[in-house]
Amino acid sequence: MHTAKFVTASKTAAGEGDPIAEELDGRRVLVMYNGDVALPEGLEPILVDEDGHWLAVRPDPLSYGLLFRPEMKPGMLEDIIMEARHNPPPHIGELLGEARMEWNQMQETTALVLKGLVTGLSLMQERRKMPVFNLRVETQ
């Protein structure tokens, strides 16, 4: 089952205050997946589409799960069409045309996702890490 389309992301109650949910609320995003992924019981999405299907989750403070494709570019869709090992959705040509028309907005969405990840995961703040192992030189 192919799912490949643009949808409008909506922030949920669980997404209130979350940087990615706040940035993408009301924006069109591209979803592309085969089959489906059911969320574990008790895990609430932070973003959903028009049909209430999850688009993003935040299971813990140090991770996100994204069902949409913020990195996708029209050229990547062209590669899917041209490479024999891919199994593209039947309407890939129409999707490519729509992606070309949405390209500027797609670039903005990518930037907003990166901004949200940096903010939400505190990626630019210094953290002290425990050493994985200590090296000790012994001479004989």
Side-chain angles (χ1 to χ4, degrees):
M1 174 179 76
H2 288 286
T3 300
K5 60 184 177 178
F6 281 89
V7 298
T8 301
S10 296
K11 176 179 58 173
T12 65
E16 284 293 328
D18 181 85
I20 288 185
E22 296 287 345
E23 292 286 357
L24 298 184
D25 188 33
R27 292 191 68 88
R28 286 174 41 89
V29 296
L30 176 61
V31 293
M32 284 189 73
Y33 55 90
N34 292 332
D36 198 11
V37 178
L39 295 179
E41 199 167 315
L43 184 57
E44 296 296 321
I46 60 172
L47 284 172
V48 294
D49 66 15
E50 299 94 327
D51 298 324
H53 195 267
W54 76 276
L55 296 174
V57 294
R58 187 154 189 201
D60 60 63
L62 294 178
S63 59
Y64 281 95
L66 306 177
L67 192 59
F68 64 97
R69 303 290 304 266
E71 83 290 358
M72 189 62 73
K73 300 175 179 155
M76 295 168 81
L77 293 173
E78 292 168 356
D79 289 345
I80 290 171
I81 293 169
M82 292 187 301
E83 292 181 12
R85 70 178 189 269
H86 287 284
N87 180 22
H91 65 289
I92 190 76
E94 293 87 12
L95 187 64
L96 174 58
E98 190 172 359
R100 286 176 176 159
M101 290 175 40
E102 295 279 342
W103 176 230
N104 288 332
Q105 185 265 350
M106 290 172 73
Q107 288 181 298
E108 290 172 9
T109 298
T110 301
L112 291 172
V113 169
L114 290 173
K115 178 183 172 191
L117 288 171
V118 168
T119 303
L121 301 174
S122 302
L123 295 178
M124 297 304 290
Q125 293 183 5
E126 183 179 2
R127 295 184 187 147
R128 297 250 334 139
K129 295 182 182 179
M130 296 302 295
V132 176
F133 54 87
N134 289 324
L135 293 177
R136 188 175 72 185
V137 178
E138 293 186 21
T139 58
Q140 294 189 12

